[in-house]
Amino acid sequence: MKSFIFFCFLLCSSLQLSAQKFPGLDKSPMDISYYPHDFAHDRKFAPDKIGGADAAAVVRVIYSRPAKKEREVFGKLIPFGKVWRLGANEATEIKFYQDVTFGGKLVKAGSYALFAIPDQGEWTIVLNSELDHWGAYSYKESLDVLRVKVPVKSTADVIENLAIAFEKADAKAATMRIAWDKTMVEVPVEWK
């Protein structure tokens, strides 16, 4: 009888485990952008593409990619003059694998929250030392590591989902591009 009860308990437990629910896909999926592009993949599978298996990444950005969905993005959905998490969900995180100049200002290697204060003609890009924010609700300006101002540019096409990508400028420099809707800003990144 004890064996039967134990068997029933195990059967009920296993049914509970198989009935677990997982959340569906996020409306703003998370993405990662590296410089060099696809660094993690290429380090393992195409080391010659990045300069060998011992090559080092310069920067990585982890962010959520909200969609435009026919909405007016800047000035409406994302208000001008207010701190924005530079994405959706958790605040965007940027990691520098070595000391760099970011927008012309020195930044020590490490991980930072990446925020923006959009305006019509220029954006203020903010690196903040406090990680693991949800949105910008607990953002504290006193923890800013640096702020840089960058001009706004228009894109030729509508960018449906927020995109952050790096493009090589020269052997020791890249440009971080942030684009959404018909708006783009660029931040130069340089290293030794």
Side-chain angles (χ1 to χ4, degrees), residues 112-113 115 126-131 133 138-147:
Y112 304 91
F115 294 97
V126 180
L127 298 183
N128 187 279
S129 63
E130 187 174 17
L131 299 173
H133 291 270
S138 60
Y139 164 80
K140 295 181 188 95
E141 185 176 345
S142 63
L143 298 175
D144 287 354
V145 174
L146 70 74
R147 288 177 169 221

Side-chain angles (χ1 to χ4, degrees), residues 100-108 127 145-149 188:
V100 300
T101 59
F102 182 77
K105 296 183 180 182
L106 181 64
V107 178
K108 294 288 185 189
L127 298 183
V145 174
L146 70 74
R147 288 177 169 221
V148 296
K149 292 190 182 285

